[in-house]
Structures are given as structure tokens and as C-alpha cells.
Amino acid sequence: MKKRIKFIVNPISGHHNKNKFPNLVDLYIDKTKYDYSIAFTEHVNHASELTLEAIEEGYEYIGAVGGDGTINEIAKCLINKDQTLIIVPQGSGNGLARHLKLPLRIERLIKEVVNNGTEVKIDTATMNDVPFLSVAGIGFDAQIADFFAKDPKRGFITYAKLITEIYPNFKPKNYKLILDDDRTIECKPFFITFANSNQFGYNAEISPKASVQDGLLDVCVFKKPNIIEAPLAATLLMTKNIDKSNFIEIYKTRTARVIRNEEEVVNIDGEAIFMGKEISVKVNPLSIKILLSSK
């Protein structure tokens, strides 16, 4: 008996033209295995609404076609549910897809993952009860996420431009970090990242050894490099060697609390969300089903 897939497409994520997506699905999907339908989002939170409708309608698979923010909006509705998430990376950085080694070309993804993939369970996590799959953070990366969301242009060039503009005047702030209720760390970092996957996107790996199946988060406390050190830090991020440097301390934990002096934005899977002075983070082990390549 054929299974049913609901593909939910964010037409404005990243810099990819999504108009060809229906034709590519029709061309490459195994129609002996699947029936499918495709819906395009039209407003904020529409992806979540469409996901909940698809669950009610009995779809076994939900395809998230977009970037990490779109994937998050759909995936949060599937946590601890029977439905399986299919990630079709069409965003700017595609951090989670890169971590999971998913093909970035739609043709390959349909043939290798949709038609011939394997279902697995991975961890999710929450920051003040807001779910994330890839990374969440506070400090500089949250400010970049906020400015990136407001910029009409997407892509790596915009991301790099914002970093260059904001970096010189960014002043680290004091935080109290409490891990698993028994380790307290006083720090003044450039940013703190809670990593379920290993990267921000664009192959910039903040925690190269992070795993989405170990029931733990990698808490990455990153100190601000000076102007001379900045190119080295960027190179280490792009070459999967940042964990071997003095720029970062990485701690494994199931839960974390952050106490800070100001209410500010945080970064949740690339999206900027305003949160209060106290932040609670925790992992939810093996809580969502996804489809990955069998290779």
C-alpha cells in the first residue's frame, strides 16, 4: 500500500527558486511507493498550520522544503508524533541538512532519500520550551540572526557582510551558565551556542563532534577573537578544527540554565526570538523521526 507525503514549501526561504519543485517531484519520485501533495506557505506560521492539517489527514511523511527556520516550524509539530520528517534543504545556510549529510540538490535528495532512504530517530531540544533541531544561541550569533532576518537579501554574502559590520562594536556580556544543575560557569563570551547538530550553516562547524543521537547538547562558549585573530577563528570554523583552539570551550550536558542581565533576542535554528533574562535549555532524546540517505 502506498504511503502519502505532504510537501510544504516556503517560497521565500534562501535564494532558491521553488517554482520548479513540483515538476522535479513529479519527475523523480517513485510513484509506486508514494502518493503526494504540495502546498506553498503564504504567511508566517502557515507551515505549522499546514503540518497540523496533514497530521489530521493521515499523511505518513511531511516534507519541509526550505531553510532551517522552515524545517523548525514544521518539525516542532512532529516531535513525539508518528509522522516522519523529510528535509528538503532549500535555505541559505542549510546547517542541519549539512550535518545530516543530505544532498542539497532536489533531484538527488528525492532519488536517494525520499525513494530509498531510511527512517531514524534524532534528538530535539528546547530553549524556554521553544523547540530546535540544530542550534540555539545567545550573544553575537543571535544578533546576527536578528539582522539577517530583517535584511531583504539572503545568502552567504549578506551573512558575511553583517558579521563584518557588527563584529567590531559588539561587546560581550556577563552570563552565569549552569549545566545539569551541578556545574556553574561564569563567563563573558562572544556567544554561547547550544549545539544539537555540529554547525551554523555554510559548513561553519561550531562543534565538530556534536551528535543528534547522543541525548546530549554541546554547549559552546566562544570568546571574542581580536581583529588579528578573527581570520584564524573563521578558518578554524570552516575547516572543522575550532574545537582544537583556545577560542572555545565545549561542555556536554542534558540541561542548561543561563542567567543574564538583560532581555534580548536569542537564535533558534537561525530565527531571532526575544526572550527574558533567564533561559532554560534541555534535550529531548530521540524524539522525532526523519528520513536519511541509506548510503
Side-chain angles (χ1 to χ4, degrees):
M1 188 173 178
K2 290 197 283 188
K3 298 292 182 72
R4 301 168 69 211
I5 303 174
K6 181 79 165 190
F7 289 104
I8 299 171
V9 185
N10 180 352
I12 62 171
S13 64
H15 50 269
H16 303 274
N17 186 328
K18 317 298 191 307
N19 293 332
K20 296 180 180 179
F21 180 74
N23 290 336
L24 291 171
V25 175
D26 184 67
L27 187 61
Y28 292 106
I29 200 167
D30 186 344
K31 296 185 178 72
T32 68
K33 293 178 67 173
Y34 299 113
D35 289 322
Y36 70 91
S37 65
I38 299 172
F40 285 77
T41 61
E42 299 175 358
H43 52 77
V44 175
N45 295 322
H46 196 197
S48 290
E49 294 170 14
L50 291 169
T51 303
L52 294 173
E53 288 175 9
I55 293 170
E56 286 292 319
E57 292 166 1
Y59 282 86
E60 291 90 353
Y61 295 90
I62 312 295
V65 187
D68 286 338
T70 304
I71 293 164
N72 176 289
E73 189 178 339
I74 292 168
K76 67 185 180 183
C77 302
L78 303 179
I79 294 170
N80 297 318
K81 294 288 196 304
D82 292 331
Q83 283 73 21
T84 300
L85 175 68
I86 300 173
I87 295 172
V88 184
Q90 291 287 286
S92 299
N94 298 312
L96 182 60
R98 292 178 192 274
H99 173 85
L100 297 171
K101 301 188 179 347
L102 290 169
L104 299 184
R105 290 183 60 84
I106 292 173
E107 299 93 321
R108 275 193 60 204
L109 187 128
I110 292 172
K111 290 189 284 188
E112 295 177 16
V113 179
V114 178
N115 292 345
N116 297 293
T118 301
E119 290 185 21
V120 302
K121 286 187 175 183
I122 66 169
D123 303 337
T124 64
T126 56
M127 177 178 276
N128 280 7
D129 297 323
V130 179
F132 65 95
L133 272 72
S134 189
V135 296
I138 57 176
F140 183 74
D141 72 318
Q143 192 165 347
I144 292 296
D146 189 26
F147 278 83
F148 190 75
K150 296 171 183 174
D151 198 301
K153 297 181 180 179
R154 309 298 275 178
F156 181 76
I157 293 175
T158 299
Y159 196 78
K161 176 180 73 75
L162 289 172
I163 291 174
T164 303
E165 291 174 352
I166 297 170
Y167 173 86
N169 297 317
F170 183 86
K171 292 181 171 51
K173 298 175 181 178
N174 292 304
Y175 300 100
K176 179 184 286 188
L177 183 60
I178 304 165
L179 308 179
D180 283 336
D181 294 326
D182 61 4
R183 284 185 291 174
T184 299
I185 300 161
E186 303 274 357
C187 54
K188 193 175 183 179
F190 191 35
F191 59 81
I192 301 174
T193 297
F194 301 92
N196 190 33
S197 78
N198 62 11
Q199 65 168 272
F200 291 129
Y202 303 108
N203 279 323
E205 296 199 359
I206 184 61
S207 189
K209 296 182 177 65
S211 167
V212 293
Q213 293 183 305
D214 62 357
L216 297 168
L217 292 170
D218 285 21
V219 181
C220 309
V221 181
F222 198 99
K223 76 172 187 178
K224 184 178 181 181
N226 61 42
I227 292 294
I228 296 174
E229 296 171 324
L232 173 60
T235 299
L236 292 171
L237 281 168
M238 301 305 296
T239 58
K240 308 178 184 180
N241 289 304
I242 194 67
D243 57 330
K244 302 180 181 69
S245 75
N246 292 325
F247 296 118
I248 195 168
E249 296 287 342
I250 299 176
Y251 307 89
K252 300 275 189 181
T253 190
R254 292 176 179 82
T255 66
R257 287 191 295 134
V258 179
I259 300 172
R260 54 187 184 171
N261 296 325
E262 299 177 36
E263 299 178 345
E264 291 183 308
V265 293
V266 301
N267 167 22
I268 302 279
D269 281 340
E271 301 296 316
I273 298 175
F274 193 80
M275 286 189 182
K277 295 179 182 179
E278 294 200 17
I279 292 171
S280 175
V281 184
K282 62 181 178 180
V283 69
N284 190 2
L286 304 180
S287 51
I288 191 169
K289 291 194 293 184
I290 65 170
L291 201 60
L292 296 182
S293 174
S294 298
K295 293 184 177 181

